[in-house]
Amino acid sequence: MDCLFCKIIEGSIPSQKVYEDDAVYAFRDINPMAPVHVLLVPKTHIPSMDGVTAENSAAVARIFEAIPKAAAAEGLTNGYRVISNCGDDACQTVKHLHFHLLGGRKLPDRMA
Ligand code: 5GP
Ligand code: ZN
């Protein structure tokens, strides 16, 4: 499958790992929008939030368990924001479900 994040997970495209377990891979965004900008992805390919079902939602739960660990590893003691862009209106560019973890400064109070 021609998926950028699947290639990053398997290691054929290099990335800066922040956290990893059997279900989740977390790495630095190549174009950071904040002092800390990490992407968390399920190791199984799910195209977007729209592809989450009762059958695969355990992988999403594992990401939410990993978020506080990645945030702690990055020193985000004063809070952070988690975003997932889904589909064209949200400008999703990589079609493998991912969660942006942003922090390290006061973020804009406008979300969109
Ligand atoms: P989206 O716009 O789909 O929500 O987010 C995709 C994110 O992937 C963007 O923030 C973009 O900077 C990041 N990205 C795109 N290509 C690469 C890459 O090759 N390596 C890394 N680490 N991040 C990437
Ligand atoms: Zn993928």
Side-chain angles (χ1 to χ4, degrees), residues 3-15 20 25 43:
C3 171
L4 175 65
F5 287 172
C6 281
K7 288 176 183 162
I8 284 178
I9 292 161
E10 75 185 23
S12 59
I13 291 176
S15 63
E20 182 175 19
Y25 189 67
K43 288 190 171 178

Side-chain angles (χ1 to χ4, degrees), residues 1-7 9 42-47 94-97:
M1 190 189 307
D2 194 26
C3 171
L4 175 65
F5 287 172
C6 281
K7 288 176 183 162
I9 292 161
K43 288 190 171 178
T44 51
H45 181 87
I46 301 172
V94 180
K95 308 302 190 212
H96 180 126
L97 178 64

Side-chain angles (χ1 to χ4, degrees), residues 34-49:
V36 173
H37 188 169
V38 171
L39 300 171
L40 295 103
V41 300
K43 288 190 171 178
T44 51
H45 181 87
I46 301 172
S48 76
M49 191 77 80

Side-chain angles (χ1 to χ4, degrees), residues 4-5 8 13-16 27-33 37 39 83-86 90-96 98 100:
L4 175 65
F5 287 172
I8 284 178
I13 291 176
S15 63
Q16 293 188 330
F27 57 102
R28 294 190 204 292
D29 196 292
I30 204 166
N31 183 25
M33 297 290 166
H37 188 169
L39 300 171
I83 293 174
S84 186
N85 296 319
C86 176
C91 303
Q92 181 185 5
T93 58
V94 180
K95 308 302 190 212
H96 180 126
H98 54 281
H100 298 256

Side-chain angles (χ1 to χ4, degrees), residues 40 64 67 80-84 99-102 107 111:
L40 295 103
F64 278 82
I67 285 170
Y80 51 83
R81 181 171 289 161
V82 176
I83 293 174
S84 186
F99 293 82
H100 298 256
L101 169 63
L102 297 154
L107 298 167
M111 203 158 40

